[in-house]
Amino acid sequence: MKVLVVTRRPAFWDALRSCFDSHGAELCTSATLEEGLDVVRGGKVALAVLDTGSDIAALRKSVMDILTVNAMTNVASVSGMGEETFHDAMEGLGMIMDLPLEPEEADVARLLEALKVILG
C-alpha cells in the first residue's frame, strides 16, 4: 500500500521509513499539495498524510482537494490539535486521525494499523 506524506520536512519522515516498511507500506513524500495531488492522480495512494501545518481552514481545504481527485484516498493529518478539537474541526471529512506534531514510530504504527482495518 502506498502512503503519501505531503510535507516540507522529508528528512523527518525518511527517518521513519523503516516503520512504514515493517507495516508493508511504501512511503513517498511531496513538498506541496499540488505535487501530492499529482501523485494521487497518478497511482493508487491508500493514504495521504497532510503534514502541512495546523491552520484548520487550510487543512480542511486540502482534505477536500484530495477527496475531489480520488474519494477513495484515506487521509490523516499532522497538526497535534488533540482528539476533541480534531473531531470538531474535521467532522464529516472521514479522516482517520490526527498525529502529534512530532510523530514517533508508535504513532505511525497506530495510523498504519488503523488503515489496515479500514482497507480490510
Side-chain angles (χ1 to χ4, degrees), residues 20-97:
F20 285 90
D21 292 344
S22 69
H23 284 85
E26 173 194 351
L27 172 65
C28 66
T29 60
S30 67
T32 66
L33 179 62
E34 291 74 26
E35 289 175 11
L37 291 173
D38 287 341
V39 173
V40 171
R41 276 186 203 97
K44 247 190 151 152
V45 174
L47 173 66
V49 178
L50 298 170
D51 180 17
T52 56
S54 57
D55 179 315
I56 292 173
L59 183 58
R60 284 186 64 84
K61 182 182 179 323
S62 296
V63 172
M64 289 187 277
D65 289 347
I66 289 170
L67 296 177
T68 298
V69 170
N70 184 344
M72 297 304 291
T73 303
N74 295 285
V75 183
S77 60
V78 178
S79 71
M81 67 176 84
E83 190 172 327
E84 188 174 321
T85 302
F86 173 74
H87 176 74
D88 291 344
M90 300 299 147
E91 188 171 4
L93 293 178
M95 294 178 68
I96 296 177
M97 67 179 63

Side-chain angles (χ1 to χ4, degrees), residues 8-26:
R8 290 191 181 140
R9 39 183 206 159
F12 174 86
W13 289 95
D14 197 48
L16 295 167
R17 186 173 298 276
S18 64
C19 185
F20 285 90
D21 292 344
S22 69
H23 284 85
E26 173 194 351

